[in-house]
Amino acid sequence: MVKLRHEQRSLWEDLFAAEVADLWEPWMRVVDELLEDDELLETVFEAQGERHLHSRTRGRKQTPAEVALRMLILKHVRNWSYEVLEREVRANVVYRSFSRIGMEKVPDEKTLIRLGQAIGPETIRELHDRVVVLAKQRGVIRGRKMRVDTTVVETNIHYPTDSGLLNDGARTLTRTMKKIVVKAGGLKKKVRNRMRSVTKRVIAIGHALRHKGVEGEEKRKREYRQLVRLTRQILNDSQRVLKEVETLPPRQRSEVQGLCEHLQTMSDRVGQVVRQTRARIFKGVTQLPGKLVSVFEPHTEIIRKDKAGKPNEFGKLVQVQEAENQIITHYEVYDQRPSDQRLLLPALDAHQRKLGRVPRLVAADAGYYSHANEEGAHAMGVKQVSIPNRNTRSQARRQLEKQRWFKQGQKWRTGCEGRISVVKRRHGLERCRYRGGDGMRRWVGLGVIADNLINLGRCLTPQTA
């Protein structure tokens, strides 16, 4: 059963809260006031009520919406894991007071994880939009300026190589088949463990890479043939296990149903890895549709942003746009990477929709430039478009980019890169774990909300001399 807040505090708890009020950090006081907003609490309350069919009226009392929201915000502000969040709130009276827990029991780690999953990406989006409205109402943002940039939120994978992917797939399939055998009480034919041979081939491929020329290439192909052959044998074993499970009695079959579904899913992914390995190693084909770079995170994309230190990144593209005072007004996580040139006009539409006006100045890097974008922005009412064109030979264009307003716009634009760095490294995006689309959108949204609240606390805190 869901509820908004804990029961009314006792007189002793009020006195205790007043005693520790002086220990609060300055940003906490402003954020505490902002999180009193009824619409924010109602949004979380509604999301908790949709966990199960009768969550609103039956079952044990859930963690109140107010406590859930404040603990999730605190987690991303401090960049803690759920385990550390539970420990710190239990041990710190300031965090207890900020989270509105008081003398109640602190939710454990597993409960906090379930609460984070219950508050899905759409709810996070509504919370972020409400925070932007609160910033506008308090005069922190007016929508006169907009800057936009993209970044890559990387997934938790090792650097993908064909031999590494085959090794991951073979290990996962073997482990899953062993679990099925144990849980089913044994099968007719024993599952053979080929991981020792697979590991030898992977090491041999690494050694072969040291040899250059035709001889080294032939040795590498020979080892890859052996590795692909072993992986195909493991795939055949997995199909045999799945067929044998179908002949088991219903009770035994039901006990291993989840493992069989996982085995089938991983078999399909490993089969894709085998096909793309054969195409690249033996046929020289590197561009394949639906290429996998991880058997555990199949949605990961290869994103090339032409960085000197890291030419290839593996994850998802995220766009962040800001207004005044470093407030992030909109964010977007893309399932498939679009060209930056296609993102400027939709960003302007989002800015106008949320802030009720077209910005006077738009600043972005050269990746957003196109003549159509510039003309479209001017047609929408933007007076100054500070986006450099690196490929121009026009003297008039070069003179335009040397004007004072253009240079100041570019100088202000560089702050977007700093904001992205803060959100990624201080508010949890660097530790993001991608699960489909919802996991990353939820994680990115909470990090953005935490950063906005910190900046609102800085802007609204009275400055002392």
Side-chain angles (χ1 to χ4, degrees), residues 69-334:
L69 175 60
R70 287 168 178 263
M71 290 196 71
L72 287 175
I73 294 298
L74 183 62
K75 172 187 181 300
H76 282 266
V77 166
R78 297 300 194 206
N79 195 11
W80 289 334
S81 65
Y82 286 107
E83 180 182 3
V84 174
L85 175 65
E86 178 194 354
R87 185 178 70 243
E88 291 294 330
V89 175
R90 288 178 63 184
N92 193 303
V93 293
V94 173
Y95 296 149
R96 276 181 171 271
S97 180
F98 175 78
S99 301
R100 300 295 173 87
I101 292 178
M103 304 305 295
E104 300 287 342
K105 184 179 182 298
V106 177
D108 60 28
E109 175 189 356
K110 292 183 179 180
T111 301
L112 291 170
I113 292 174
R114 295 190 189 99
L115 286 173
Q117 294 172 345
I119 303 174
E122 295 303 322
T123 303
I124 298 298
R125 178 80 68 180
E126 293 178 19
L127 293 174
H128 174 257
D129 291 344
R130 182 57 186 170
V131 170
V132 173
V133 171
L134 294 175
K136 183 181 177 183
Q137 289 176 352
R138 284 160 174 76
V140 177
I141 55 175
R142 298 182 180 179
R144 294 177 178 177
K145 297 193 294 184
M146 186 193 86
R147 61 188 181 192
V148 60
D149 201 359
T150 57
T151 186
V152 178
V153 177
E154 294 187 285
T155 52
N156 186 30
I157 65 172
H158 60 73
Y159 192 87
T161 61
D162 291 318
S163 58
L165 292 175
L166 291 172
N167 186 31
D168 289 342
R171 184 179 68 253
T172 305
L173 291 177
T174 302
R175 182 175 62 231
T176 307
M177 286 188 289
K178 291 288 186 182
K179 289 181 180 179
I180 291 175
V181 170
V182 172
K183 206 164 187 179
L187 298 176
K188 294 179 180 178
K189 190 174 180 181
K190 184 179 178 181
V191 174
R192 182 177 174 182
N193 190 343
R194 295 182 171 86
M195 284 310 301
R196 182 180 177 185
S197 299
V198 169
T199 303
K200 286 183 177 180
R201 300 284 77 76
V202 172
I203 294 173
I205 289 172
H207 290 163
L209 290 174
R210 302 175 185 176
H211 302 282
K212 306 299 180 182
V214 178
E215 183 180 353
E217 184 70 17
E218 288 300 324
K219 184 177 180 181
R220 187 167 62 93
K221 287 184 177 180
R222 184 167 61 251
E223 298 297 340
Y224 260 113
R225 284 193 184 91
Q226 296 296 323
L227 180 57
V228 169
R229 179 181 62 82
L230 289 168
T231 307
R232 290 180 63 86
Q233 289 175 345
I234 296 174
L235 279 171
N236 293 335
D237 288 344
S238 67
Q239 296 304 311
R240 176 183 59 79
V241 169
L242 289 172
K243 289 181 180 178
E244 189 168 343
V245 167
E246 293 178 358
T247 63
L248 294 176
R251 184 175 179 179
Q252 289 180 279
R253 192 164 62 246
S254 63
E255 291 180 355
V256 297
Q257 182 177 359
L259 289 172
C260 289
E261 292 176 357
H262 177 66
L263 181 63
Q264 183 62 60
T265 300
M266 295 304 297
S267 296
D268 296 338
R269 294 176 187 174
V270 175
Q272 171 66 20
V273 172
V274 169
R275 290 190 292 272
Q276 68 191 33
T277 300
R278 296 181 66 179
R280 191 184 76 85
I281 299 298
F282 305 118
K283 299 179 182 179
V285 180
T286 57
Q287 302 295 329
L288 287 175
K291 187 173 183 178
L292 284 180
V293 294
S294 173
V295 294
F296 307 109
E297 305 287 352
H299 306 281
T300 302
E301 289 185 292
I302 304 173
I303 300 178
R304 190 174 185 88
K305 292 181 72 70
D306 296 326
K307 294 182 180 178
K310 189 182 289 187
N312 294 320
E313 297 177 86
F314 305 96
K316 285 296 176 181
L317 189 75
V318 177
Q319 179 177 255
V320 174
Q321 62 187 73
E322 300 178 55
E324 301 90 346
N325 290 311
Q326 303 176 0
I327 301 300
I328 299 173
T329 57
H330 188 69
Y331 66 92
E332 197 69 49
V333 180
Y334 297 97

Side-chain angles (χ1 to χ4, degrees), residues 26-41:
W27 67 268
M28 284 184 171
R29 306 180 192 281
V30 178
V31 172
D32 179 71
E33 179 187 351
L34 293 172
L35 294 181
E36 288 282 357
D37 184 71
D38 290 335
E39 290 193 27
L40 290 175
L41 296 183

